[in-house]
Amino acid sequence: MAGYFLSSSVKIATPRFRRVVHAPQHLRALVRADEIWLTVLASFIGSLAGFCVWVMTCGTLWLHRLLFAPGNNGRLSGLLHISPWRALLVPTLGGLAMGLFGLLVARWIGRRPIDPIEANALYGGRMSVRDSLVVAAQTFISNGAGASIGLEAGFTQIAAALGSWLGQAFRVRREDLRVLVGCGAGGAIGAAFNAPVAGAFYAFELVIGAYSLVNLPPVAFATISAIGMTYLLGGVAPVVSIFSHDALSFPSGIAAAILGVVCALVGIAIMKGVTLTERLFRRLPGPAWLHTSFGGLIVGGMAIDTPSVLSAGHAAMHLVLDGDLTLSHGVVLLLLKAVAVSVSIGSGFRGGLFFASLYIGVLTGDIFGGVLVWGGYGGLSLAACAVLGMSAMAGAIVGSPMTMICLTLEMTGNFTLSGAVLLASVASLLTVRRLFGYSFATWRFHLRGESIRSAVDIGWLRTLNVRRMMREQVRMLPPDMSLACARALFPPGSAQRLVLAGEDGRYRGMVPVVELYNPVHPDEAKLEEIAILMRHMLTPQMNVREAVAAFEKAEADELVVVDHPDTRRVLGILTEKHALRRYAEELDRTRRELAGEARQRTYG
């Protein structure tokens, strides 16, 4: 899962998208009008995703061999020993390079790159390839220097951005562009693990936001094409193998559910630990670009004792599954890895927690299995507990249970564990939702003040604001006008409400025409004496949801729109009926897009 982290020196600004070169008109017409051609485009995007995975993986392994001289294929976490001076020097200098690169990015781009989930939720799938290349470069530097994070933040970002760029080049519809972004990200995950089903569910659960049959062909072909590209280049990830097990028994099911709860608690602790570590690093003296170097020094110091804290932990996961790990050693490794992940991300390294969460889950499951053996229960082997922990932990942190269930089954090829994997993953998901309420990605959005809970398109909520819905033609009356004059101007039935404004244009309230003709009010009374809603008003920047809430709070069916609550200059008027109708129309459009009904009608 993409981690979405820039160093603290990069300022946040409103996203801007560069103009793309559009494809020829006849090709754009084919892709827009025919689902088959959209699937062909998605397959090409999947091939690009597979190529990105292969390039970044091979490049990082080459950098590991160059900088660390591990004596193997470059998998740092699988080492038993590492040169102390390399362990200290390489992550420290890598952190320094990361900080300096952050300064350069701040001057070059000056804004935060948009993540695929955020792009689909707020911007209709529009992403910048240039900004995503920056993310890929930062991820490459971080992982290449041995930071305890994965590569998925880089290759899912650039693959999704390429899908967005091609979709914009063909001028596909908004809903199709969001699907192509999911095809890029899902293809990258499928290629990284040789798991097409898991890659497809990753696209649906995390990037597109919902599953629909009409979106299945492009997503499926994209993941398969991505894996085919990695096969062609010879860079397919190895498969985890464990022995077959008996069918899930009742005691084993209870143990699997408890393990899911334990993994959820550990996952919540890690997510909060990352945030706490970030706050601690921000309080350190000195320039922010040096903090990453200090974080690298800490991770390197831990790597002297156990190199498994380096990188994502892919090779270390295999060592845990294949070897005998004592209970005490497993606890130490888990604590060190959790600290290394928190320090890496908190200090400013760029990367994701998808790969790292798999290793943390394997350690947690292995420890849990060791406790079961110590307690005399042998229903689940250590390897089985490790696999269950991998699925439950990644589901808790990444927030995509079906992705992790399918990934676990595809990686192990052992479907006798399917019931236990499902039970542990669901127990983990329910615990996180009940106690925490966020995945790691949505937790990061929450800390930034964004109300994004998934990739479901909510961008229309921000664009459908009061300014777009209001009626600008408003006839205003002075508040000191007498009721007799107002009655002469507005006979019964000519209007519903009268807007009052002073000579300076400041809003002074509204008067219902019905109340104007109330016999209890004398003719010489002033309009301001019977005015209502003086303190209730809308502003042009309010979105439709905020406007509806304002109507409910004021218990009014019509409110005035002012430029600012302080100046209160009248700009227009909006009725609750019109706002609710537009809100319902957009909700229905979003529902039809998620279900694929709009594209079905077009292609049918």
Side-chain angles (χ1 to χ4, degrees):
M1 177 62 196
Y4 327 110
F5 313 109
L6 275 176
S7 64
S8 56
S9 60
V10 179
K11 66 179 181 179
I12 297 177
T14 303
R16 292 173 293 177
F17 304 98
R18 297 179 65 86
R19 187 176 180 181
V20 298
V21 178
H22 294 292
Q25 185 174 357
H26 66 282
L27 292 179
R28 298 201 305 265
L30 279 176
V31 172
R32 287 176 59 89
D34 196 325
E35 186 177 12
I36 295 178
W37 285 105
L38 181 68
T39 304
V40 171
L41 180 59
S43 301
F44 179 68
I45 292 171
S47 300
L48 293 178
F51 179 75
C52 292
V53 171
W54 180 80
V55 168
M56 291 196 65
T57 302
C58 293
T60 305
L61 293 178
W62 173 82
L63 197 59
H64 289 169
R65 292 193 295 268
L66 177 66
L67 299 178
F68 290 93
N72 61 6
N73 61 353
R75 301 286 184 180
L76 298 179
S77 62
L79 298 176
L80 298 179
H81 303 284
I82 192 171
S83 171
W85 72 270
R86 289 182 183 271
L88 290 175
L89 189 61
V90 175
T92 303
L93 294 180
L96 180 62
M98 185 67 183
L100 294 176
F101 187 67
L103 289 177
L104 178 64
V105 169
R107 296 181 180 180
W108 181 36
I109 297 181
R111 62 182 182 274
R112 176 182 50 78
I114 296 174
D115 148 88
I117 297 176
E118 186 181 7
N120 270 5
L122 299 180
Y123 305 109
R126 294 174 61 85
M127 298 177 64
S128 169
V129 175
R130 186 185 69 172
D131 294 357
S132 299
L133 283 173
V134 170
V135 175
Q138 290 178 317
T139 307
F140 177 77
I141 295 173
S142 300
N143 193 276
S148 191
I149 41 184
L151 283 172
E152 69 278 3
F155 54 63
T156 56
Q157 178 82 21
I158 188 61
L162 290 174
S164 174
W165 181 78
L166 285 173
Q168 294 176 63
F170 282 89
R171 293 184 178 178
V172 299
R173 299 172 182 83
R174 181 186 179 96
E175 58 269 26
D176 292 340
L177 184 60
R178 297 177 70 254
V179 171
L180 292 179
V181 170
C183 289
I189 292 298
F193 291 98
N194 190 26
V197 180
F201 271 104
Y202 181 92
F204 284 124
E205 287 188 301
L206 288 177
V207 185
I208 299 175
Y211 171 82
S212 63
L213 286 176
V214 73
N215 292 331
L216 179 59
V219 173
F221 273 83
T223 56
I224 294 173
S225 298
I227 294 174
M229 177 59 72
T230 58
Y231 268 110
L232 182 65
L233 299 172
V236 179
V239 177
V240 176
S241 299
I242 63 174
F243 294 107
S244 299
H245 290 265
D246 296 331
L248 185 66
S249 62
F250 182 76
S252 298
I254 297 297
I258 295 175
L259 175 56
V261 175
V262 171
C263 289
L265 297 177
V266 174
I268 293 173
I270 290 174
M271 288 186 279
K272 289 190 173 182
V274 169
T275 304
L276 177 61
T277 307
E278 279 186 326
R279 293 173 180 172
L280 293 176
F281 271 95
R282 287 171 185 164
R283 296 177 182 176
L284 291 178
W289 55 270
L290 278 178
H291 296 171
T292 317
S293 180
F294 183 59
L297 179 63
I298 296 175
V299 174
M302 290 188 290
I304 296 177
D305 179 67
T306 170
S308 65
V309 302
L310 294 175
S311 191
H314 214 104
M317 180 175 67
H318 287 267
L319 292 178
V320 175
L321 290 170
D322 297 338
D324 295 327
L325 192 68
T326 62
L327 185 60
S328 58
H329 190 202
V331 172
V332 172
L333 287 180
L334 176 61
L335 293 176
L336 290 177
K337 183 62 178 180
V339 172
V341 167
S342 300
V343 170
S344 296
I345 297 176
S347 62
F349 282 107
R350 180 89 182 198
L353 277 184
F354 194 117
F355 287 178
S357 66
L358 297 179
Y359 177 46
I360 295 174
V362 166
L363 287 173
T364 305
D366 190 81
I367 295 170
F368 183 82
V371 172
L372 292 182
V373 173
W374 177 76
Y377 176 75
L380 289 173
S381 67
L382 291 178
C385 289
V387 171
L388 296 180
M390 177 179 69
S391 176
M393 182 66 69
I397 294 178
V398 179
S400 55
M402 284 305 301
T403 300
M404 302 319 306
I405 292 170
C406 294
L407 178 62
T408 302
L409 297 178
E410 286 183 292
M411 288 179 65
T412 61
N414 190 339
F415 291 90
T416 59
L417 287 175
S418 57
V421 169
L422 179 62
L423 189 57
S425 300
V426 170
S428 174
L429 175 68
L430 291 176
T431 304
V432 170
R433 284 190 174 181
R434 180 66 177 176
L435 300 181
F436 192 56
Y438 301 94
S439 66
F440 186 63
T442 56
W443 173 240
R444 306 295 294 180
F445 292 140
H446 170 73
L447 294 176
R448 291 199 332 241
E450 295 282 1
S451 58
I452 303 175
R453 290 302 184 97
S454 70
V456 174
D457 191 3
I458 60 171
W460 59 270
L461 276 176
R462 300 191 176 188
T463 58
L464 185 61
N465 52 28
V466 170
R467 185 183 298 276
R468 291 180 56 188
M469 296 185 294
M470 71 179 186
R471 187 178 72 249
E472 297 182 359
Q473 293 78 15
V474 181
R475 184 172 180 180
M476 292 175 287
L477 300 177
D480 56 354
M481 176 181 285
S482 66
L483 267 62
C485 293
R487 288 166 180 169
L489 292 173
F490 296 93
S494 60
Q496 292 185 349
R497 294 182 186 272
L498 307 178
V499 178
L500 306 183
E503 294 182 357
D504 55 357
R506 289 176 60 88
Y507 173 63
R508 301 285 291 275
M510 301 176 70
V511 176
V513 173
V514 175
E515 187 67 18
L516 185 66
Y517 285 91
N518 192 327
V520 301
H521 302 311
D523 292 343
E524 63 273 10
K526 306 298 183 183
L527 289 176
E528 60 184 353
E529 298 177 13
I530 60 172
I532 61 174
L533 303 175
M534 284 83 73
R535 297 184 179 181
H536 295 278
M537 62 204 80
L538 303 173
T539 58
Q541 296 78 22
M542 284 184 173
N543 61 47
V544 62
R545 183 178 291 176
E546 293 170 337
V548 171
F551 281 116
E552 293 179 354
K553 182 178 180 180
E555 297 181 353
D557 55 7
E558 198 169 13
L559 287 177
V560 163
V561 182
V562 299
D563 59 347
H564 193 273
D566 295 334
T567 57
R568 299 167 62 116
R569 297 186 183 279
V570 178
L571 299 179
I573 195 167
L574 179 65
T575 64
E576 183 183 29
K577 181 180 179 180
H578 181 67
L580 288 174
R581 181 170 62 83
R582 292 295 306 277
Y583 190 33
E585 289 174 352
E586 292 297 328
L587 283 176
D588 183 64
R589 181 187 61 81
T590 303
R591 180 196 63 79
R592 287 187 286 107
E593 288 180 1
L594 290 175
E597 295 177 4
R599 200 187 320 148
Q600 279 180 324
R601 285 200 300 268
T602 302
Y603 296 146

